[in-house]
Amino acid sequence: MSSAETLVVTTLQEDEELLFAVGQTMISSVPLVLKAAMELGILELLSESPAQLSPTQNASCLSIKNPDVTVTIDRMLRLLVSYSFLSCTLAQDKAERLYGLGPKSKFLVGDQERNVAMWFLFLMDKVSLSVLLAIATLAIRLGSHDKYLKIRVISLNYTKSAGTESSDSAWALRASLWRL
């Protein structure tokens, strides 16, 4: 070992803290990948399918022409499996992963009363995210005694007319702004 190289000794607790920190920095990718899967229609496709589907089957059902899309879809779905949005089994005959809906995705598909897909997509919208990304700037410029613009909590109102199918239900999203 040369004099420029040093041996770093860490404890088990330090290693666990490092892994936790790395995991926390990666956590922002989960909602973005989930949003992409929803926008591509993968979750709806999996909910309508009687069997689990491979990335190749997903790509062909969605009519995606890019020949490399199956690798990207597989990576996206593997991430969603690790957070229990999807389930995964390994097909023994083809050594290929097959994906289905997981326990957390039941609230993101279908027309059930507790579907939060529209709310999630609203929060992941470019405008909503831009407000969250500017929190530090707003805190610096406005401080706690701002006399400018405040954002009231975004509220979600679910309205359903009596006697209509749940697919006819309407979601209303509101954001309120006011000046002091």
Side-chain angles (χ1 to χ4, degrees):
M1 185 181 294
S2 71
S3 61
E5 295 178 20
T6 59
L7 182 61
V8 178
V9 179
T10 61
T11 66
L12 179 60
Q13 182 179 356
E14 288 174 327
D15 290 343
E16 289 175 356
E17 290 168 349
L18 173 65
L19 288 175
F20 180 78
V22 169
Q24 294 303 302
T25 61
M26 296 297 294
I27 203 150
S28 63
S29 63
V30 176
L32 297 173
V33 169
L34 180 60
K35 178 182 184 255
M38 291 172 69
E39 289 175 342
L40 289 171
I42 294 173
L43 294 184
E44 285 296 328
L45 181 64
L46 291 174
S47 73
E48 294 167 357
S49 174
Q52 291 184 319
L53 299 175
S54 70
T56 307
Q57 292 168 318
N58 274 300
S60 65
C61 289
L62 298 171
S63 303
I64 299 173
K65 305 290 188 243
N66 181 354
D68 299 326
V69 75
T70 56
V71 174
T72 304
I73 288 176
D74 188 44
R75 288 179 181 167
M76 290 170 55
L77 299 183
R78 284 188 351 226
L79 179 69
L80 296 177
V81 166
S82 68
Y83 286 88
S84 301
F85 286 104
L86 299 178
S87 63
C88 179
T89 57
L90 190 61
Q92 295 175 356
D93 56 339
K94 297 181 183 178
E96 184 175 42
R97 289 180 203 75
L98 300 175
Y99 296 96
L101 293 181
K104 292 180 183 176
S105 62
K106 66 183 176 184
F107 299 109
L108 298 170
V109 294
D111 56 354
Q112 60 185 347
E113 288 185 19
R114 294 171 43 181
N115 187 326
V116 295
M118 293 299 290
W119 179 243
F120 174 76
L121 291 173
F122 172 75
L123 291 175
M124 291 290 103
D125 184 64
K126 194 183 297 188
V127 174
S128 299
L129 287 177
S130 68
V131 171
L132 293 173
L133 293 172
I135 286 177
T137 304
L138 291 173
I140 291 168
R141 288 187 182 169
L142 301 179
S144 61
H145 304 291
D146 64 276
K147 294 183 181 178
Y148 302 106
L149 189 63
K150 285 196 173 191
I151 299 176
R152 186 180 290 172
V153 176
I154 297 169
S155 63
L156 171 68
N157 294 328
Y158 174 72
T159 57
K160 183 176 177 183
S161 304
T164 60
E165 296 290 323
S166 59
S167 62
D168 295 332
S169 303
W171 287 93
L173 301 172
R174 294 180 310 175
S176 301
L177 302 175
W178 78 98
R179 291 197 182 271
L180 287 178

